């Protein structure tokens, strides 16, 4: 039997990152067709104090890889956050999808009870069980950043809809 922790993480991250990859391709095509400087979309944000599209995608990727790695009990792959173009973001998503594809469901057998310790941008560490880490921390943050990336592009005139956001399942 496949671990529920695997089923509720890796396939979900894979589905949503695959959809995000398609949305970014649509955004790139939108910019080209309308002679919009791609950086105008990559640096677009919903409000001045929010991350721009580029950073939203990086953080969504970070949550997909780090949550999956910690649940599987493997080292979190490092990424340098040097992306500047749609092609760079596509490569980042492809790298995360390849990492997710390398994980085996058996690695998640004890994930629900595994202790996860994080220091999310602060010196204060947080401790979770694997189950609470996935459901109360990892997935909500991942969906926040994927949804915000989608909303930035939709707000910027890219013709994407709910089916694009959800992707293939």
């Amino acid at each position: 039997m496949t671990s529920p922790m695997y089923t509720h993480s890796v396939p979900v991250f894979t589905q949503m990152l695959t959809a995000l990859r398609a949305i970014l391709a649509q955004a790139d095509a939108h910019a080209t067709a309308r002679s919009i400087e791609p950086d105008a979309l990559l640096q677009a944000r919903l409000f001045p104090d929010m991350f721009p599209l580029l950073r939203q995608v990086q953080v969504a990727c970070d949550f997909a890889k780090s949550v999956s790695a910690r649940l599987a009990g493997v080292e979190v792959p490092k990424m340098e956050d040097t992306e500047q173009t749609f092609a760079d973001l596509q490569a980042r998503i492809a790298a995360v999808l390849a990492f997710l594809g390398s994980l085996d469901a058996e690695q998640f057998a004890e994930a629900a009870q595994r202790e996860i310790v994080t220091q999310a941008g602060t010196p204060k560490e947080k401790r979770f069980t694997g189950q609470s880490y996935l459901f109360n921390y990892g997935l909500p943050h991942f969906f926040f950043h994927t949804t915000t990336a989608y909303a930035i592009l939709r707000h910027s005139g890219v013709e994407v809809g709910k089916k694009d956001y959800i992707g293939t399942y």
Side-chain angles (χ1 to χ4, degrees), residues 49-133:
D49 68 351
M50 293 180 76
F51 288 146
L53 173 68
L54 187 86
R55 188 71 183 127
Q56 297 290 349
V57 175
Q58 289 171 330
V59 175
C61 287
D62 289 346
F63 272 97
K65 69 181 173 64
S66 64
V67 170
S68 299
R70 289 182 181 116
L71 291 174
V74 300
E75 187 173 333
V76 177
K78 302 238 185 288
M79 295 184 155
E80 296 300 319
D81 296 340
T82 57
E83 295 80 16
Q84 297 296 315
T85 66
F86 281 111
D88 293 343
L89 290 177
Q90 292 287 359
R92 184 184 185 104
I93 292 172
V96 174
L97 288 171
F99 170 71
L100 294 174
S102 75
L103 297 174
D104 190 87
E106 284 77 38
Q107 292 172 287
F108 292 73
E110 304 298 321
Q113 295 78 31
R114 183 172 284 129
E115 182 180 45
I116 308 292
V117 180
T118 66
Q119 283 185 277
T122 68
K124 186 176 181 181
E125 67 180 35
K126 295 183 184 222
R127 294 181 176 275
F128 301 91
T129 63
Q131 183 169 318
S132 68
Y133 176 64

Side-chain angles (χ1 to χ4, degrees), residues 7-25:
T7 303
H8 297 302
S9 60
V10 173
V12 174
F13 293 136
T14 299
Q15 174 186 332
M16 297 307 294
L17 286 179
T18 301
L20 183 57
R21 183 171 56 182
I23 288 171
L24 292 173

